[in-house]
């Protein structure tokens, strides 16, 4: 069934047990919404030098948007900002692939499970919500702290 | 169809087998072999062959600009366009065809009223000393134009709140509608809650303070007898695409004296009497409010849609939808964890039913239903304040129309059980 290509077990697992959820200290905070369906996220980024020390968030929304925030947390915390940005770009590219991309598992790990979502234009925004929020928050955090530059 | 015995006993149903044959899209199979179950009628209705044929005939035989030529086609196109105006006037029992203004949709109709009042002279002028009253259950189309008017004029915007049952809370009506109130604008039927509002109570109060009454009939005109004289409103807005007509055509009905006194909003061809480089005089209503080439084919399509609806009879359509809605409410409430947002009965409610299903997000509900060929709408339905009021991010909404069947309700119920199992 086609549904299973969207709702992979990995996605449903992240949805049921989200990683890193909850708001903790951060250097910058953003609030993003998906106006078409009401998915919302408040996300904070904390940097430690050039390392992403924490990504914390409070969110409400569909399984895809929730699971995606959880995977984001797994993938970027502990990486340098530059490495994390490369992951973000790879994820963005996968989501824009209209069902054609598979994603590089070396880079994207669990996030390759979202490949099936890219076939559903209405849901791509759900998957990207937290990633765009992270990008935005990171830019803000860096702007506050221009010394960090990798 | 486990409940066939119950649905078979519903009374007042239309002959949907015959009606459905008129709607080509309803024959579609989705995802290979699943019949389309179209339950997104509050967003837009499907179109019968009769409307599609009227559009084709217009373009194939009569296409011309209106009111501007002496040639045969121009005269035919004008007669068809103005003929559609007659049909709308009849349909809403307007005292005069000149009270029917064509717009592109209900949103434009409501923006038009707000702008007329913003630019009007006394006694209609909305200014910093005025108050505007709306309700918390409005579609964004009946909120934002009033917010804009309030921001631009300094007028105060007030609104009726909602009860836990999804009805208007009228308990503070005397504080809300006061001598300062210039305009009261509210929806006849909520697109999210399905609630049918008590028009008379609100209109009486508004009249007692001399306020104008604007009624958003977008979810009423397609589904019930609409009589602008009985409503005693000053303006009534609705949109063609929800009542079997094409997109791109809407209506604003307004009382003749008001239309004579109020200023135009958009300027252009068609709305003038004479023009010099310094100034212009305006055509009488309705043309004063129809600048530029109007949506001609779309108006013709609306006329055909009205013929179709009237051929069946709005009372019969209302009775059919009432029976379907009562059956749907009853069956939805059988589902564990399902919460209807809005009246949990078919009394004073239209055929749009919103609900939440445990903590399964509507986005996911809609996706799994789609996989079974069932089209519902998910989200805040352009009425976000209602979601905030009930503390929910979004709802799933099933909405019915004259071609909806008890079998489709059964399909929805089966689909929702499947959703629960999938995310369970
Ligand atoms: C109650 C109500 N008012 C206004 C509108 C706006 O209609 P339109 O988008 O055609 O302008 C809608 C349709 O979504 C509606 O349901
Ligand atoms: Zn979503």
């Amino acid at each position: 069934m086609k549904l299973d290509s969207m709702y992979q077990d990995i996605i449903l697992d992240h949805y049921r047990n989200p990683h890193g959820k909850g708001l903790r200290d951060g250097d910058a905070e953003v609030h993003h919404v998906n106006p078409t369906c009401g998915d919302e996220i408040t996300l904070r980024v904390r940097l430690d030098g050039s390392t992403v020390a924490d990504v914390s968030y409070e969110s409400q929304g569909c399984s895809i948007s929730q699971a995606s925030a959880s995977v984001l947390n797994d993938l970027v915390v502990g990486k340098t900002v530059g490495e994390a940005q490369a992951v973000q770009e790879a994820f963005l590219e996968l989501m824009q692939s209209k069902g054609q991309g598979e994603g590089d598992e070396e880079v994207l790990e669990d996030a390759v499970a979202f490949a099936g979502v890219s076939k559903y234009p209405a849901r791509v925004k759900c998957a990207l919500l937290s990633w765009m929020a992270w990008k935005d928050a990171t830019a803000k955090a860096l702007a506050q702290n221009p010394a960090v530059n990798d | 169809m486990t409940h066939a015995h119950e649905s078979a006993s519903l009374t007042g149903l239309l002959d949907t087998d015959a009606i459905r044959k008129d709607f080509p899209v309803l024959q579609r199979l989705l995802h290979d072999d699943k019949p389309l179950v179209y339950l997104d009628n509050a967003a837009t209705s499907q179109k019968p062959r009769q409307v599609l044929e009227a559009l084709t005939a217009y373009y194939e035989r009569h296409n011309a600009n209106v009111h501007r030529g002496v040639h045969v086609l121009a005269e035919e196109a004008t007669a068809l366009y103005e003929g559609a105006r007659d049909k709308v006037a009849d349909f809403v029992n307007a005292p005069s065809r000149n009270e029917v203004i064509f717009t592109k949709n209900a949103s434009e109709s409501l923006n038009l009223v707000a702008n007329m009042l913003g630019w009007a002279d006394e006694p209609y002028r909305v200014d910093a000393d005025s108050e505007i009253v709306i309700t918390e259950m409005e579609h964004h189309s009946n909120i934002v134009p009033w917010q804009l008017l309030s921001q631009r004029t300094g007028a105060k915007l007030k609104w009726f709140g909602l009860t836990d049952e999804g009805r208007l809370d009228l308990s503070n009506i005397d504080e809300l509608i006061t001598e300062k109130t210039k305009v009261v604008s509210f929806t006849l039927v909520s697109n999210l809650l399905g609630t049918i509002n008590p028009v008379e109570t609100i209109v009486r109060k508004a009249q007692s303070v001399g306020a104008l009454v604007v009624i958003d009939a977008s979810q009423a005109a397609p589904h019930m007898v609409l009589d602008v004289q009985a409503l005693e409103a000053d303006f009534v807005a609705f949109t063609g695409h929800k009542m079997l007509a094409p997109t791109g055509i809407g209506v604003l009905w307004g009382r003749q004296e008001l239309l004579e006194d109020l200023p135009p909003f958009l300027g252009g061809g068609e709305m003038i009497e004479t023009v010099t480089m310094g100034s212009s005089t305006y055509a009488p209503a309705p043309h004063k409010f129809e600048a530029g080439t109007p949506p001609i084919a779309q108006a013709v399509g609306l006329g055909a849609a009205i013929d179709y609806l009237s051929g069946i009879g709005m009372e019969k359509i209302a009775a059919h939808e009432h029976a379907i809605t009562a059956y749907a409410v009853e069956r939805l409430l059988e589902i564990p964890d399902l919460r209807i947002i809005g009246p949990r009965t078919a009394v004073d409610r239209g055929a749009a039913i919103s609900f939440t299903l445990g903590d399964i997000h509507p986005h996911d509900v809609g996706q799994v239903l789609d996989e079974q060929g069932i089209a519902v709408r998910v989200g805040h339905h352009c009425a976000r304040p209602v979601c905030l009021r009930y503390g929910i991010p979004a709802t799933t909404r099933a909405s019915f129309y004259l071609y909806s069947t008890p079998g489709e309700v059964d399909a929805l119920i089966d689909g929702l059980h499947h959703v629960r199992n999938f995310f369970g």
Side-chain angles (χ1 to χ4, degrees):
Chain A
M1 191 170 75
K2 252 183 35 202
L3 263 191
D4 295 332
S5 80
M6 169 180 295
Y7 294 113
Q8 304 260 331
D9 286 342
I10 295 177
I11 293 183
L12 292 175
D13 287 347
H14 276 279
Y15 167 53
R16 293 190 182 110
N17 301 299
H19 302 174
K21 191 163 175 169
L23 283 175
R24 297 173 292 277
D25 280 349
D27 303 321
E29 175 180 306
V30 297
H31 179 75
H32 278 210
V33 301
N34 178 353
T36 50
C37 70
D39 295 340
E40 297 195 20
I41 189 164
T42 302
L43 180 142
R44 288 184 192 157
V45 169
R46 186 164 63 80
L47 300 180
D48 180 3
S50 61
T51 304
V52 182
D54 194 17
V55 175
S56 64
Y57 59 96
E58 214 30 89
S59 60
Q60 79 177 196
C62 64
S63 57
I64 302 297
S65 68
Q66 301 302 293
S68 171
S70 170
V71 170
L72 165 81
N73 175 282
D74 273 3
L75 281 182
V76 301
V77 174
K79 290 201 167 68
T80 67
V81 170
E83 288 162 350
Q85 280 166 341
V87 177
Q88 190 266 331
E89 274 156 33
F91 187 68
L92 179 62
E93 188 182 324
L94 176 64
M95 295 320 297
Q96 290 173 337
S97 72
K98 303 196 162 81
Q100 301 307 305
E102 288 176 5
D104 180 351
E105 201 161 351
E106 296 271 296
V107 180
L108 287 174
E109 304 177 31
D110 276 4
V112 295
F114 288 84
V117 177
S118 73
K119 280 196 290 258
Y120 297 82
R123 304 307 294 277
V124 168
K125 281 195 191 133
C126 309
L128 286 175
L129 181 71
S130 55
W131 293 78
M132 291 307 173
W134 175 78
K135 188 179 173 194
D136 194 11
T138 301
K140 269 195 177 174
L142 288 174
Q144 283 166 17
N145 195 354
V148 180
N149 197 347
D150 64 311
Chain B
M1 315 282 142
T2 42
H3 281 247
H5 54 287
E6 288 178 25
S7 55
S9 67
L10 297 182
T11 55
L13 293 185
L14 292 166
D15 180 0
T16 45
D17 285 348
I19 290 172
R20 292 174 75 88
K21 291 205 179 87
D22 290 332
F23 290 80
V25 79
L26 296 180
Q27 324 307 325
R28 256 196 86 172
L29 300 179
L30 301 177
H31 307 304
D32 302 334
D33 59 350
K34 311 234 171 37
L36 166 65
V37 175
Y38 186 76
L39 303 182
D40 196 14
N41 293 286
T44 199
S45 71
Q46 296 302 344
K47 321 301 174 197
R49 213 180 292 280
Q50 289 81 344
V51 167
L52 305 177
E53 282 166 4
L55 292 174
T56 307
Y58 170 76
Y59 278 124
E60 287 186 352
R61 297 188 45 79
H62 312 292
N63 177 54
N65 212 325
V66 289
H67 303 134
R68 309 191 176 171
V70 293
H71 58 81
V72 172
L73 295 191
E75 279 167 6
E76 288 175 358
T78 304
L80 283 165
Y81 178 68
E82 291 302 329
R85 197 188 308 278
D86 291 326
K87 289 178 187 188
V88 173
D90 262 6
F91 187 71
V92 301
N93 194 30
S96 159
R97 66 185 307 281
N98 294 330
E99 298 180 334
V100 174
I101 301 166
F102 283 129
T103 61
K104 74 167 185 284
N105 51 34
S107 304
E108 187 185 314
S109 300
L110 293 163
N111 278 277
L112 173 54
V113 183
N115 279 282
M116 286 169 172
L117 300 181
W119 297 105
D121 294 326
E122 286 301 342
Y124 305 117
R125 186 183 190 80
V126 169
D127 57 23
D129 297 326
S130 320
E131 293 182 354
I132 301 165
V133 177
I134 60 174
T135 87
E136 201 175 6
M137 69 165 78
E138 298 310 310
H139 188 280
H140 295 165
S141 295
N142 200 26
I143 298 176
V144 184
W146 303 111
Q147 289 175 340
L148 290 170
L149 181 63
S150 137
Q151 284 154 13
R152 287 166 183 168
T153 60
K156 185 168 177 199
L157 184 63
K158 299 158 91 178
W159 53 88
F160 286 96
L162 307 180
T163 67
D164 290 344
E165 291 72 45
R167 309 243 178 227
L168 283 183
D169 176 4
L170 297 175
S171 61
N172 56 348
I173 188 167
D174 292 331
E175 284 113 76
L176 283 172
I177 302 181
T178 69
E179 295 296 326
K180 288 188 163 181
T181 309
K182 280 282 173 81
V183 54
V184 179
S185 188
F186 65 97
T187 193
L188 185 43
V189 182
S190 159
N191 68 312
L192 192 152
L193 299 166
T195 314
I196 300 180
N197 284 321
V199 175
E200 200 179 323
T201 311
I202 302 171
V203 170
R204 284 285 163 276
K205 180 69 197 171
Q207 284 172 342
S208 76
V209 300
L212 295 177
V213 174
V214 183
I215 294 184
D216 176 358
S218 302
Q219 297 290 348
H223 304 291
M224 59 182 70
V225 175
L226 187 67
D227 180 334
V228 295
Q229 299 190 56
L231 290 174
E232 292 191 38
D234 297 292
F235 293 100
V236 176
F238 53 97
T239 196
H241 66 89
K242 295 186 201 286
M243 50 189 290
L244 311 184
T247 52
I249 184 75
V251 172
L252 177 66
W253 169 84
R255 265 181 33 226
Q256 180 113 28
E257 319 83 86
L258 290 171
L259 297 184
E260 277 163 18
D261 288 352
L262 289 168
F265 171 46
L266 298 175
E270 217 59 68
M271 53 79 73
I272 46 81
E273 201 171 56
T274 66
V275 177
T276 65
M277 288 315 290
S279 68
S280 303
T281 58
Y282 309 120
H287 304 290
K288 178 162 83 171
F289 301 103
E290 293 181 359
T293 301
I296 307 167
Q298 291 79 353
V300 173
L302 176 59
I306 285 175
D307 286 343
Y308 188 91
L309 290 170
S310 302
I312 291 170
M314 293 311 294
E315 267 157 20
K316 288 191 180 146
I317 291 171
H320 173 83
E321 291 182 20
H322 188 76
I324 296 279
T325 302
Y327 179 59
V329 166
E330 175 197 320
R331 293 230 48 207
L332 283 168
L333 291 174
E334 285 168 12
I335 298 177
D337 306 332
L338 188 141
R339 173 182 168 206
I340 290 183
I341 309 298
R344 292 157 62 91
T345 105
V347 177
D348 287 335
R349 85 156 6 264
I353 309 178
S354 280
F355 55 86
T356 57
L357 188 58
D359 55 9
I360 307 172
H361 194 275
H363 231 171
D364 295 315
V365 176
Q367 194 82 52
V368 176
L369 289 177
D370 173 69
E371 199 66 19
Q372 298 159 78
I374 303 170
V376 294
R377 179 145 176 216
V378 299
H380 52 50
H381 317 288
C382 298
R384 191 162 175 275
V386 180
C387 291
L388 295 177
R389 162 66 178 80
Y390 294 104
I392 48 173
T395 77
T396 303
R397 180 184 70 190
S399 53
F400 306 99
Y401 206 2
L402 76 168
Y403 39 63
S404 302
T405 67
E408 289 183 312
V409 174
D410 294 333
L412 171 67
I413 302 302
D414 292 347
L416 290 171
H417 282 297
H418 182 66
V419 171
R420 290 187 76 242
N421 293 336
F422 191 87
F423 290 102

